[in-house]
PDB file of all heavy atoms in Angstrom:
ATOM      1  N   GLY A  97      -3.240   9.459  -7.283  1.00 95.00           N
ATOM      2  CA  GLY A  97      -1.825   9.171  -7.086  1.00 95.00           C
ATOM      3  C   GLY A  97      -1.578   7.762  -6.569  1.00 95.00           C
ATOM      4  O   GLY A  97      -0.425   7.310  -6.548  1.00 95.00           O
ATOM      5  N   LEU A  98      -2.568   7.020  -6.186  1.00 95.00           N
ATOM      6  CA  LEU A  98      -2.441   5.684  -5.672  1.00 95.00           C
ATOM      7  C   LEU A  98      -3.071   4.662  -6.575  1.00 95.00           C
ATOM      8  O   LEU A  98      -4.206   4.851  -7.043  1.00 95.00           O
ATOM      9  CB  LEU A  98      -3.089   5.588  -4.274  1.00 95.00           C
ATOM     10  CG  LEU A  98      -2.976   4.254  -3.461  1.00 95.00           C
ATOM     11  CD1 LEU A  98      -2.940   4.570  -1.939  1.00 95.00           C
ATOM     12  CD2 LEU A  98      -4.119   3.305  -3.788  1.00 95.00           C
ATOM     13  N   LEU A  99      -2.352   3.614  -6.818  1.00 93.00           N
ATOM     14  CA  LEU A  99      -2.859   2.516  -7.724  1.00 93.00           C
ATOM     15  C   LEU A  99      -2.738   1.234  -6.924  1.00 93.00           C
ATOM     16  O   LEU A  99      -1.698   0.741  -6.591  1.00 93.00           O
ATOM     17  CB  LEU A  99      -2.019   2.418  -8.950  1.00 93.00           C
ATOM     18  CG  LEU A  99      -2.460   1.367 -10.024  1.00 93.00           C
ATOM     19  CD1 LEU A  99      -3.887   1.618 -10.464  1.00 93.00           C
ATOM     20  CD2 LEU A  99      -1.493   1.355 -11.219  1.00 93.00           C
ATOM     21  N   ALA A 100      -3.949   0.671  -6.601  1.00 92.00           N
ATOM     22  CA  ALA A 100      -4.086  -0.618  -5.876  1.00 92.00           C
ATOM     23  C   ALA A 100      -4.712  -1.611  -6.789  1.00 92.00           C
ATOM     24  O   ALA A 100      -5.853  -1.404  -7.208  1.00 92.00           O
ATOM     25  CB  ALA A 100      -4.856  -0.418  -4.565  1.00 92.00           C
ATOM     26  N   ARG A 101      -4.056  -2.736  -7.007  1.00 88.00           N
ATOM     27  CA  ARG A 101      -4.555  -3.769  -7.935  1.00 88.00           C
ATOM     28  C   ARG A 101      -4.776  -5.053  -7.237  1.00 88.00           C
ATOM     29  O   ARG A 101      -3.835  -5.650  -6.606  1.00 88.00           O
ATOM     30  CB  ARG A 101      -3.550  -3.980  -9.034  1.00 88.00           C
ATOM     31  CG  ARG A 101      -3.325  -2.757  -9.934  1.00 88.00           C
ATOM     32  CD  ARG A 101      -2.172  -3.034 -10.877  1.00 88.00           C
ATOM     33  NE  ARG A 101      -1.967  -2.036 -11.902  1.00 88.00           N
ATOM     34  CZ  ARG A 101      -2.398  -2.016 -13.122  1.00 88.00           C
ATOM     35  NH1 ARG A 101      -3.146  -3.067 -13.507  1.00 88.00           N
ATOM     36  NH2 ARG A 101      -2.249  -1.065 -13.991  1.00 88.00           N
ATOM     37  N   ASP A 102      -6.053  -5.539  -7.310  1.00 84.00           N
ATOM     38  CA  ASP A 102      -6.374  -6.851  -6.854  1.00 84.00           C
ATOM     39  C   ASP A 102      -5.899  -7.851  -7.996  1.00 84.00           C
ATOM     40  O   ASP A 102      -6.415  -7.808  -9.083  1.00 84.00           O
ATOM     41  CB  ASP A 102      -7.894  -6.979  -6.585  1.00 84.00           C
ATOM     42  CG  ASP A 102      -8.297  -8.403  -6.234  1.00 84.00           C
ATOM     43  OD1 ASP A 102      -7.411  -9.239  -5.997  1.00 84.00           O
ATOM     44  OD2 ASP A 102      -9.513  -8.626  -6.190  1.00 84.00           O
ATOM     45  N   ARG A 103      -5.006  -8.718  -7.637  1.00 84.00           N
ATOM     46  CA  ARG A 103      -4.355  -9.551  -8.638  1.00 84.00           C
ATOM     47  C   ARG A 103      -5.134 -10.830  -8.929  1.00 84.00           C
ATOM     48  O   ARG A 103      -4.722 -11.629  -9.802  1.00 84.00           O
ATOM     49  CB  ARG A 103      -2.937  -9.979  -8.149  1.00 84.00           C
ATOM     50  CG  ARG A 103      -2.116  -8.732  -7.816  1.00 84.00           C
ATOM     51  CD  ARG A 103      -0.713  -9.112  -7.350  1.00 84.00           C
ATOM     52  NE  ARG A 103       0.060  -9.767  -8.390  1.00 84.00           N
ATOM     53  CZ  ARG A 103       1.375 -10.069  -8.252  1.00 84.00           C
ATOM     54  NH1 ARG A 103       1.989  -9.800  -7.168  1.00 84.00           N
ATOM     55  NH2 ARG A 103       1.991 -10.662  -9.254  1.00 84.00           N
ATOM     56  N   GLN A 104      -6.292 -11.025  -8.247  1.00 83.00           N
ATOM     57  CA  GLN A 104      -7.035 -12.283  -8.460  1.00 83.00           C
ATOM     58  C   GLN A 104      -6.162 -13.495  -8.198  1.00 83.00           C
ATOM     59  O   GLN A 104      -6.252 -14.500  -8.872  1.00 83.00           O
ATOM     60  CB  GLN A 104      -7.628 -12.332  -9.882  1.00 83.00           C
ATOM     61  CG  GLN A 104      -8.597 -11.240 -10.166  1.00 83.00           C
ATOM     62  CD  GLN A 104      -9.878 -11.291  -9.260  1.00 83.00           C
ATOM     63  OE1 GLN A 104     -10.458 -12.376  -9.136  1.00 83.00           O
ATOM     64  NE2 GLN A 104     -10.157 -10.212  -8.657  1.00 83.00           N
ATOM     65  N   ASN A 105      -5.284 -13.272  -7.241  1.00 89.00           N
ATOM     66  CA  ASN A 105      -4.226 -14.334  -6.921  1.00 89.00           C
ATOM     67  C   ASN A 105      -3.852 -14.157  -5.502  1.00 89.00           C
ATOM     68  O   ASN A 105      -3.053 -13.236  -5.182  1.00 89.00           O
ATOM     69  CB  ASN A 105      -3.060 -14.203  -7.890  1.00 89.00           C
ATOM     70  CG  ASN A 105      -2.005 -15.203  -7.603  1.00 89.00           C
ATOM     71  OD1 ASN A 105      -2.071 -15.995  -6.676  1.00 89.00           O
ATOM     72  ND2 ASN A 105      -0.919 -15.263  -8.402  1.00 89.00           N
ATOM     73  N   TYR A 106      -4.410 -14.916  -4.580  1.00 90.00           N
ATOM     74  CA  TYR A 106      -4.157 -14.756  -3.148  1.00 90.00           C
ATOM     75  C   TYR A 106      -2.827 -15.339  -2.713  1.00 90.00           C
ATOM     76  O   TYR A 106      -2.480 -15.213  -1.557  1.00 90.00           O
ATOM     77  CB  TYR A 106      -5.344 -15.271  -2.383  1.00 90.00           C
ATOM     78  CG  TYR A 106      -6.558 -14.406  -2.542  1.00 90.00           C
ATOM     79  CD1 TYR A 106      -7.480 -14.690  -3.601  1.00 90.00           C
ATOM     80  CD2 TYR A 106      -6.798 -13.327  -1.713  1.00 90.00           C
ATOM     81  CE1 TYR A 106      -8.585 -13.878  -3.763  1.00 90.00           C
ATOM     82  CE2 TYR A 106      -7.825 -12.526  -1.883  1.00 90.00           C
ATOM     83  CZ  TYR A 106      -8.797 -12.813  -2.935  1.00 90.00           C
ATOM     84  OH  TYR A 106      -9.871 -11.973  -3.081  1.00 90.00           O
ATOM     85  N   ALA A 107      -2.150 -15.983  -3.611  1.00 88.00           N
ATOM     86  CA  ALA A 107      -0.732 -16.343  -3.318  1.00 88.00           C
ATOM     87  C   ALA A 107       0.155 -15.189  -3.471  1.00 88.00           C
ATOM     88  O   ALA A 107       1.372 -15.266  -3.106  1.00 88.00           O
ATOM     89  CB  ALA A 107      -0.283 -17.517  -4.236  1.00 88.00           C
ATOM     90  N   GLN A 108      -0.254 -14.072  -4.028  1.00 86.00           N
ATOM     91  CA  GLN A 108       0.488 -12.846  -4.123  1.00 86.00           C
ATOM     92  C   GLN A 108      -0.322 -11.703  -3.527  1.00 86.00           C
ATOM     93  O   GLN A 108      -1.555 -11.671  -3.727  1.00 86.00           O
ATOM     94  CB  GLN A 108       0.833 -12.573  -5.577  1.00 86.00           C
ATOM     95  CG  GLN A 108       1.529 -13.726  -6.322  1.00 86.00           C
ATOM     96  CD  GLN A 108       2.906 -13.964  -5.859  1.00 86.00           C
ATOM     97  OE1 GLN A 108       3.534 -13.105  -5.156  1.00 86.00           O
ATOM     98  NE2 GLN A 108       3.440 -15.164  -6.138  1.00 86.00           N
ATOM     99  N   ASP A 109       0.292 -10.850  -2.852  1.00 80.00           N
ATOM    100  CA  ASP A 109      -0.425  -9.760  -2.168  1.00 80.00           C
ATOM    101  C   ASP A 109      -0.881  -8.723  -3.160  1.00 80.00           C
ATOM    102  O   ASP A 109      -0.395  -8.665  -4.303  1.00 80.00           O
ATOM    103  CB  ASP A 109       0.463  -9.097  -1.092  1.00 80.00           C
ATOM    104  CG  ASP A 109      -0.308  -8.611   0.088  1.00 80.00           C
ATOM    105  OD1 ASP A 109      -1.505  -8.458  -0.019  1.00 80.00           O
ATOM    106  OD2 ASP A 109       0.320  -8.343   1.103  1.00 80.00           O
ATOM    107  N   THR A 110      -1.764  -7.851  -2.722  1.00 85.00           N
ATOM    108  CA  THR A 110      -2.289  -6.716  -3.519  1.00 85.00           C
ATOM    109  C   THR A 110      -1.112  -5.879  -3.990  1.00 85.00           C
ATOM    110  O   THR A 110      -0.164  -5.620  -3.227  1.00 85.00           O
ATOM    111  CB  THR A 110      -3.207  -5.822  -2.694  1.00 85.00           C
ATOM    112  OG1 THR A 110      -4.321  -6.556  -2.255  1.00 85.00           O
ATOM    113  CG2 THR A 110      -3.641  -4.614  -3.481  1.00 85.00           C
ATOM    114  N   GLN A 111      -1.101  -5.462  -5.256  1.00 89.00           N
ATOM    115  CA  GLN A 111      -0.120  -4.541  -5.789  1.00 89.00           C
ATOM    116  C   GLN A 111      -0.476  -3.115  -5.407  1.00 89.00           C
ATOM    117  O   GLN A 111      -1.615  -2.696  -5.592  1.00 89.00           O
ATOM    118  CB  GLN A 111       0.016  -4.646  -7.292  1.00 89.00           C
ATOM    119  CG  GLN A 111       0.725  -5.859  -7.783  1.00 89.00           C
ATOM    120  CD  GLN A 111       0.891  -5.905  -9.271  1.00 89.00           C
ATOM    121  OE1 GLN A 111       0.179  -5.245 -10.026  1.00 89.00           O
ATOM    122  NE2 GLN A 111       1.833  -6.691  -9.769  1.00 89.00           N
ATOM    123  N   LEU A 112       0.447  -2.371  -4.816  1.00 92.00           N
ATOM    124  CA  LEU A 112       0.164  -1.022  -4.340  1.00 92.00           C
ATOM    125  C   LEU A 112       1.317  -0.128  -4.740  1.00 92.00           C
ATOM    126  O   LEU A 112       2.511  -0.449  -4.475  1.00 92.00           O
ATOM    127  CB  LEU A 112       0.003  -1.033  -2.815  1.00 92.00           C
ATOM    128  CG  LEU A 112      -0.272   0.328  -2.175  1.00 92.00           C
ATOM    129  CD1 LEU A 112      -1.636   0.821  -2.517  1.00 92.00           C
ATOM    130  CD2 LEU A 112      -0.097   0.215  -0.682  1.00 92.00           C
ATOM    131  N   SER A 113       1.045   0.995  -5.399  1.00 94.00           N
ATOM    132  CA  SER A 113       2.083   1.994  -5.690  1.00 94.00           C
ATOM    133  C   SER A 113       1.460   3.363  -5.436  1.00 94.00           C
ATOM    134  O   SER A 113       0.263   3.591  -5.553  1.00 94.00           O
ATOM    135  CB  SER A 113       2.582   1.855  -7.151  1.00 94.00           C
ATOM    136  OG  SER A 113       1.514   2.076  -8.027  1.00 94.00           O
ATOM    137  N   ILE A 114       2.374   4.269  -5.135  1.00 95.00           N
ATOM    138  CA  ILE A 114       1.947   5.726  -4.876  1.00 95.00           C
ATOM    139  C   ILE A 114       2.920   6.557  -5.747  1.00 95.00           C
ATOM    140  O   ILE A 114       4.152   6.519  -5.557  1.00 95.00           O
ATOM    141  CB  ILE A 114       2.068   6.061  -3.416  1.00 95.00           C
ATOM    142  CG1 ILE A 114       1.019   5.293  -2.619  1.00 95.00           C
ATOM    143  CG2 ILE A 114       1.922   7.569  -3.229  1.00 95.00           C
ATOM    144  CD1 ILE A 114       1.007   5.611  -1.160  1.00 95.00           C
ATOM    145  N   ARG A 115       2.325   7.312  -6.694  1.00 95.00           N
ATOM    146  CA  ARG A 115       3.109   8.163  -7.591  1.00 95.00           C
ATOM    147  C   ARG A 115       4.235   7.373  -8.253  1.00 95.00           C
ATOM    148  O   ARG A 115       5.340   7.897  -8.502  1.00 95.00           O
ATOM    149  CB  ARG A 115       3.664   9.342  -6.810  1.00 95.00           C
ATOM    150  CG  ARG A 115       2.554  10.335  -6.327  1.00 95.00           C
ATOM    151  CD  ARG A 115       3.144  11.533  -5.636  1.00 95.00           C
ATOM    152  NE  ARG A 115       2.010  12.455  -5.322  1.00 95.00           N
ATOM    153  CZ  ARG A 115       2.159  13.598  -4.636  1.00 95.00           C
ATOM    154  NH1 ARG A 115       3.359  13.924  -4.260  1.00 95.00           N
ATOM    155  NH2 ARG A 115       1.092  14.335  -4.396  1.00 95.00           N
ATOM    156  N   GLY A 116       4.012   6.111  -8.582  1.00 94.00           N
ATOM    157  CA  GLY A 116       4.957   5.303  -9.294  1.00 94.00           C
ATOM    158  C   GLY A 116       5.973   4.596  -8.360  1.00 94.00           C
ATOM    159  O   GLY A 116       6.640   3.660  -8.846  1.00 94.00           O
ATOM    160  N   PHE A 117       6.040   4.931  -7.103  1.00 94.00           N
ATOM    161  CA  PHE A 117       6.854   4.212  -6.198  1.00 94.00           C
ATOM    162  C   PHE A 117       6.196   2.905  -5.742  1.00 94.00           C
ATOM    163  O   PHE A 117       5.083   2.924  -5.352  1.00 94.00           O
ATOM    164  CB  PHE A 117       7.193   5.082  -4.959  1.00 94.00           C
ATOM    165  CG  PHE A 117       8.166   6.189  -5.191  1.00 94.00           C
ATOM    166  CD1 PHE A 117       7.664   7.469  -5.465  1.00 94.00           C
ATOM    167  CD2 PHE A 117       9.498   5.988  -5.150  1.00 94.00           C
ATOM    168  CE1 PHE A 117       8.528   8.497  -5.757  1.00 94.00           C
ATOM    169  CE2 PHE A 117      10.402   7.044  -5.415  1.00 94.00           C
ATOM    170  CZ  PHE A 117       9.871   8.280  -5.698  1.00 94.00           C
ATOM    171  N   GLY A 118       6.929   1.831  -5.893  1.00 91.00           N
ATOM    172  CA  GLY A 118       6.335   0.477  -5.533  1.00 91.00           C
ATOM    173  C   GLY A 118       5.798  -0.195  -6.815  1.00 91.00           C
ATOM    174  O   GLY A 118       5.392  -1.386  -6.670  1.00 91.00           O
ATOM    175  N   ALA A 119       5.821   0.437  -7.977  1.00 89.00           N
ATOM    176  CA  ALA A 119       5.198  -0.193  -9.119  1.00 89.00           C
ATOM    177  C   ALA A 119       5.916  -1.405  -9.620  1.00 89.00           C
ATOM    178  O   ALA A 119       5.332  -2.296 -10.241  1.00 89.00           O
ATOM    179  CB  ALA A 119       5.111   0.911 -10.242  1.00 89.00           C
ATOM    180  N   ARG A 120       7.206  -1.502  -9.376  1.00 82.00           N
ATOM    181  CA  ARG A 120       7.976  -2.571  -9.931  1.00 82.00           C
ATOM    182  C   ARG A 120       8.000  -3.824  -9.018  1.00 82.00           C
ATOM    183  O   ARG A 120       8.649  -4.812  -9.327  1.00 82.00           O
ATOM    184  CB  ARG A 120       9.416  -2.193 -10.271  1.00 82.00           C
ATOM    185  CG  ARG A 120      10.217  -1.828  -8.995  1.00 82.00           C
ATOM    186  CD  ARG A 120      11.623  -1.436  -9.406  1.00 82.00           C
ATOM    187  NE  ARG A 120      12.449  -1.068  -8.225  1.00 82.00           N
ATOM    188  CZ  ARG A 120      13.003  -1.980  -7.404  1.00 82.00           C
ATOM    189  NH1 ARG A 120      12.924  -3.245  -7.619  1.00 82.00           N
ATOM    190  NH2 ARG A 120      13.752  -1.538  -6.410  1.00 82.00           N
ATOM    191  N   ALA A 121       7.315  -3.755  -7.913  1.00 81.00           N
ATOM    192  CA  ALA A 121       7.284  -4.948  -6.956  1.00 81.00           C
ATOM    193  C   ALA A 121       6.582  -6.084  -7.605  1.00 81.00           C
ATOM    194  O   ALA A 121       5.486  -5.942  -8.139  1.00 81.00           O
ATOM    195  CB  ALA A 121       6.563  -4.588  -5.663  1.00 81.00           C
ATOM    196  N   THR A 122       7.169  -7.271  -7.649  1.00 75.00           N
ATOM    197  CA  THR A 122       6.495  -8.433  -8.183  1.00 75.00           C
ATOM    198  C   THR A 122       5.673  -9.151  -7.175  1.00 75.00           C
ATOM    199  O   THR A 122       4.896 -10.009  -7.488  1.00 75.00           O
ATOM    200  CB  THR A 122       7.581  -9.329  -8.811  1.00 75.00           C
ATOM    201  OG1 THR A 122       8.579  -9.674  -7.826  1.00 75.00           O
ATOM    202  CG2 THR A 122       8.240  -8.681 -10.033  1.00 75.00           C
ATOM    203  N   PHE A 123       5.966  -8.957  -5.894  1.00 75.00           N
ATOM    204  CA  PHE A 123       5.147  -9.566  -4.812  1.00 75.00           C
ATOM    205  C   PHE A 123       5.292  -8.694  -3.616  1.00 75.00           C
ATOM    206  O   PHE A 123       6.240  -7.934  -3.401  1.00 75.00           O
ATOM    207  CB  PHE A 123       5.661 -11.010  -4.510  1.00 75.00           C
ATOM    208  CG  PHE A 123       7.150 -11.051  -4.198  1.00 75.00           C
ATOM    209  CD1 PHE A 123       7.633 -10.874  -2.920  1.00 75.00           C
ATOM    210  CD2 PHE A 123       8.037 -11.311  -5.221  1.00 75.00           C
ATOM    211  CE1 PHE A 123       8.992 -10.931  -2.636  1.00 75.00           C
ATOM    212  CE2 PHE A 123       9.360 -11.383  -4.957  1.00 75.00           C
ATOM    213  CZ  PHE A 123       9.874 -11.172  -3.666  1.00 75.00           C
ATOM    214  N   GLY A 124       4.204  -8.724  -2.767  1.00 79.00           N
ATOM    215  CA  GLY A 124       4.196  -7.837  -1.592  1.00 79.00           C
ATOM    216  C   GLY A 124       4.198  -6.381  -2.001  1.00 79.00           C
ATOM    217  O   GLY A 124       3.877  -6.007  -3.117  1.00 79.00           O
ATOM    218  N   VAL A 125       4.506  -5.526  -1.034  1.00 86.00           N
ATOM    219  CA  VAL A 125       4.526  -4.103  -1.263  1.00 86.00           C
ATOM    220  C   VAL A 125       5.899  -3.573  -0.883  1.00 86.00           C
ATOM    221  O   VAL A 125       6.428  -3.900   0.202  1.00 86.00           O
ATOM    222  CB  VAL A 125       3.462  -3.318  -0.436  1.00 86.00           C
ATOM    223  CG1 VAL A 125       3.524  -1.860  -0.617  1.00 86.00           C
ATOM    224  CG2 VAL A 125       2.071  -3.872  -0.775  1.00 86.00           C
TER     225      VAL A 125
END
Side-chain angles (χ1 to χ4, degrees):
L98 183 150
L99 183 58
R101 294 171 174 265
D102 176 9
R103 304 179 66 173
Q104 299 297 310
N105 180 354
Y106 289 90
Q108 306 293 342
D109 213 342
T110 298
Q111 287 184 339
L112 179 71
S113 63
I114 294 179
R115 294 182 175 177
F117 287 94
R120 66 179 179 79
T122 55
F123 52 88
V125 178

